[in-house]
Amino acid sequence: KPIADATVEFGLYNYAEFYPIAAMPTTKNGCATVTTGFGDLLIHAYWNSKSANAIARAGLTDTLTLVLKDTNDFLPGGQYIFNPPQPPKAEDAVELDMNAHRRRLSEEDSIRNSYIATFIDSVTFAQKFKDKGNDIQTLWKYIALSRGNWPEILSFIQILSPGQITPGIKLLESLSEKDFHDIQAAILMDHLQAMVSYSSLTPTISAEVYQSGLLAPRIGREFITPWRSFIQQYFDARQVESFRSNPLNIHNWITDNIITDTLHNYYGQPLPIEGMLQLGRADKYSLDLLFVAICRSFGIAGRLEPATERPQYWLNGRWHDVRQGVLAHGEPLSGTVILKNLSDDPDFVPGYYSHFTLANYQKGSFRTLDYENDQRMKNFPVSLTMDTGFYRLVTGHRGKEGEVNSEITSFKVTSGNPVEVPVRMVSAAETSRELKTMNLHSGFSLLKTNEPLKLNQFANKNGLIIIILDPETEPAKHLIKDMGKVKSTLDKWEGKTIALVAENKLTSNFDSGNIYRDLPDNSILGYDDMGEIAAAVNHASAVSNAFLLPVVVVINPNGEITWFSEGYNINTGNQIVRQLKNL
């Protein structure tokens, strides 16, 4: 029986979740169609709180049929491999005029550097603000973070009175790096001045809760506006007294006065706080922003809970949820989840979004919880208090061919019964194709001095890492940044990392200090000027065509390539570390 208007999500594995690259309703014939590359997807369909899912093997499956039963039908827990599309064949490659491409890159760098040259420097800043005393270094940090928006941050600092220096610095501390790029001095001053109108409802509030839950002008994904003074002028003294006597009265006022509109904010952009009060309607996420903004405007610490984005207020030493469906005594039903690290490597700590995610089943669909910046995730076992309900844990890492080795675990959270959930990385054979011994007599030039060197000068009992890249491309920059995440581990390793600019990829304005700053401290920086290293890797890795840059190879003490990676990949740094442990 075909179901019309069921929602179908086409989930692509990315950042340890199945992200819906498309979500669409079914037709009256029960069909939803999408055209993709030949990579595997997890298809999830739901209708009237019933759902089902299955893997679409794009190389094998043209049409997939899902049956929505009386109970939810989920992919069974277990280990799965998700394959990416195959790379294009050599004959399908697009011909590029590489000389024109390099000229364009050089022109882009020139434009960018000319713009950066207009930024104020630290010496000029220090001379301008000698009167700020010991705070000069702290203030310069925020000027540097603001990049091209430095005049606005500079203007804000200039108008701070002596008594506003300390709270002004605290306000700047509450901003994210992205906020520094576009916030205006007038908006910062509005928030700073409005803060003195109402004292904190909780006198003993901690510094962290004060700064992130009360002082910060940023609430969620909205564009920052001068909402604090607007809200203070919008409500009368009687209403303010009601809000401060019981923060739930804010929620009641919003429910009674602002229409929840699920239709007209089609793209789900967060609405301006002031606009919601003027218009009298908003989508649910924007209404949650409004609740928090009203709290903060009147001295009540408020936030969107980081994992669930549920609005909360701070009272009696803890955060309280604001939502429908709480128990009669006012507390949500919750349970305890204990995440256990089952890695064979005692030094390996799984990273949220890098290696695993948790998702909550809500109204037929899984929604990933955001624990990325939760400090608890750095020390296992991790104990979490979570709403009762059904959850899914997904782990995964990419293999050398781009395939994802994943494990899916479903579990239920109940009140009073802690549940232990294993976080286990599925191991896969990570040896390369039938690889040969690398020619360690291959030569390259040292980047700074042009001194000729050979690989065997750096080979030792710990092995080698060799990287060949075009430093001006995005995949190369991504790789270097990815390696920076494991830099401390690679710094302790006693082997050598040799990073080489590929043949004909060295430009006159190349800045190795800037591009290579995240590489291990003992890295050798060179230029594969004659293409010898690339040829040796190509031969030893049995690649039939010219490989895609960047290329990374791990070589054991016998000179054999034990791992090979080419092109754009994620988590390369962690995969390299895993390979080094196997050496």
Coordinates of all heavy atoms in Angstrom, one line a residue, residues 42 53-55 73-80 82 392-393 406-410:
L42 N 22.3 5.6 3.6 CA 21.4 5.1 4.6 C 20.0 5.8 4.3 O 20.0 7.0 4.6 CB 21.8 5.2 6.0 CG 20.9 4.7 7.1 CD1 20.7 3.2 6.9 CD2 21.4 5.0 8.5
N53 N 14.3 1.9 7.9 CA 15.5 2.3 7.2 C 16.3 1.1 6.6 O 16.1 0.0 7.1 CB 16.4 3.3 8.0 CG 16.8 2.7 9.4 OD1 17.1 1.5 9.5 ND2 16.8 3.5 10.4
A54 N 17.1 1.4 5.7 CA 17.9 0.4 5.0 C 19.0 1.0 4.2 O 19.0 2.2 3.9 CB 17.0 -0.5 4.1
I55 N 20.0 0.2 3.9 CA 21.2 0.7 3.2 C 20.9 0.6 1.7 O 20.5 -0.5 1.2 CB 22.5 0.0 3.5 CG1 22.8 0.2 5.0 CG2 23.6 0.4 2.7 CD1 24.0 -0.6 5.5
D73 N 11.0 0.1 12.6 CA 11.9 -1.0 12.1 C 13.3 -0.3 11.8 O 13.4 0.4 10.8 CB 11.3 -1.6 10.8 CG 12.2 -2.8 10.3 OD1 12.9 -3.3 11.1 OD2 12.1 -3.1 9.1
F74 N 14.3 -0.6 12.6 CA 15.6 0.1 12.4 C 16.6 -0.9 11.9 O 16.5 -2.1 11.9 CB 16.1 0.6 13.8 CG 15.2 1.6 14.4 CD1 14.5 1.3 15.6 CD2 14.9 2.8 13.8 CE1 13.7 2.2 16.2 CE2 14.1 3.7 14.4 CZ 13.4 3.4 15.6
L75 N 17.6 -0.3 11.3 CA 18.8 -1.1 10.9 C 19.3 -1.9 12.1 O 19.6 -1.3 13.1 CB 19.9 -0.2 10.3 CG 20.9 -0.8 9.3 CD1 20.2 -1.2 8.0 CD2 22.0 0.2 9.0
P76 N 19.5 -3.2 12.0 CA 20.0 -3.9 13.1 C 21.3 -3.5 13.6 O 22.2 -3.1 12.8 CB 20.0 -5.4 12.6 CG 19.1 -5.4 11.4 CD 19.2 -4.0 10.8
G77 N 21.5 -3.4 14.9 CA 22.8 -3.1 15.4 C 23.9 -4.0 14.9 O 23.7 -5.2 14.7
G78 N 25.1 -3.5 14.6 CA 26.2 -4.3 14.1 C 27.2 -3.5 13.3 O 27.2 -2.2 13.3
Q79 N 28.0 -4.2 12.6 CA 29.1 -3.5 11.8 C 28.8 -3.5 10.3 O 28.3 -4.4 9.8 CB 30.4 -4.3 12.1 CG 30.8 -4.3 13.5 CD 32.1 -5.1 13.7 OE1 32.7 -5.6 12.8 NE2 32.6 -5.1 15.0
Y80 N 29.1 -2.3 9.7 CA 28.7 -2.1 8.3 C 29.9 -1.4 7.6 O 30.6 -0.6 8.3 CB 27.4 -1.2 8.2 CG 26.2 -1.9 8.8 CD1 25.9 -1.7 10.2 CD2 25.4 -2.6 8.0 CE1 24.7 -2.3 10.7 CE2 24.2 -3.2 8.6 CZ 23.9 -3.0 9.9 OH 22.8 -3.6 10.4
F82 N 30.4 1.3 4.5 CA 29.7 2.2 3.5 C 30.8 2.6 2.5 O 31.8 3.2 2.9 CB 29.1 3.4 4.3 CG 28.0 3.1 5.1 CD1 28.2 2.6 6.4 CD2 26.7 3.1 4.6 CE1 27.1 2.3 7.2 CE2 25.6 2.8 5.4 CZ 25.8 2.4 6.7
R392 N 20.5 6.2 19.2 CA 21.4 5.4 18.3 C 22.9 6.0 18.4 O 23.0 7.2 18.4 CB 21.0 5.6 16.9 CG 21.8 4.8 15.8 CD 21.2 4.9 14.4 NE 21.4 6.2 13.9 CZ 20.8 6.6 12.7 NH1 20.0 5.8 12.1 NH2 21.0 7.9 12.3
L393 N 23.8 5.1 18.6 CA 25.2 5.5 18.6 C 25.9 5.0 17.3 O 25.7 3.9 16.9 CB 26.0 5.0 19.8 CG 27.5 5.3 19.8 CD1 27.9 5.7 21.2 CD2 28.3 4.1 19.4
S406 N 31.9 1.2 10.0 CA 31.0 1.8 10.9 C 30.4 0.7 11.8 O 30.2 -0.5 11.4 CB 29.9 2.6 10.2 OG 29.0 3.1 11.1
E407 N 30.1 1.1 13.0 CA 29.3 0.2 13.9 C 28.1 1.0 14.4 O 28.2 2.2 14.8 CB 30.1 -0.3 15.1 CG 29.2 -1.2 16.0 CD 30.1 -2.0 17.0 OE1 31.1 -1.5 17.5 OE2 29.7 -3.2 17.2
I408 N 26.9 0.5 14.3 CA 25.7 1.1 14.8 C 25.1 0.4 16.0 O 25.0 -0.8 16.0 CB 24.6 1.1 13.6 CG1 25.1 1.9 12.4 CG2 23.3 1.7 14.1 CD1 24.3 1.9 11.2
T409 N 24.9 1.1 17.1 CA 24.3 0.5 18.3 C 23.1 1.3 18.7 O 23.1 2.5 18.8 CB 25.4 0.6 19.4 OG1 26.6 0.0 19.0 CG2 24.9 0.0 20.7
S410 N 22.0 0.6 18.9 CA 20.8 1.2 19.4 C 20.6 0.9 20.8 O 20.9 -0.2 21.3 CB 19.6 0.7 18.5 OG 19.7 1.0 17.2

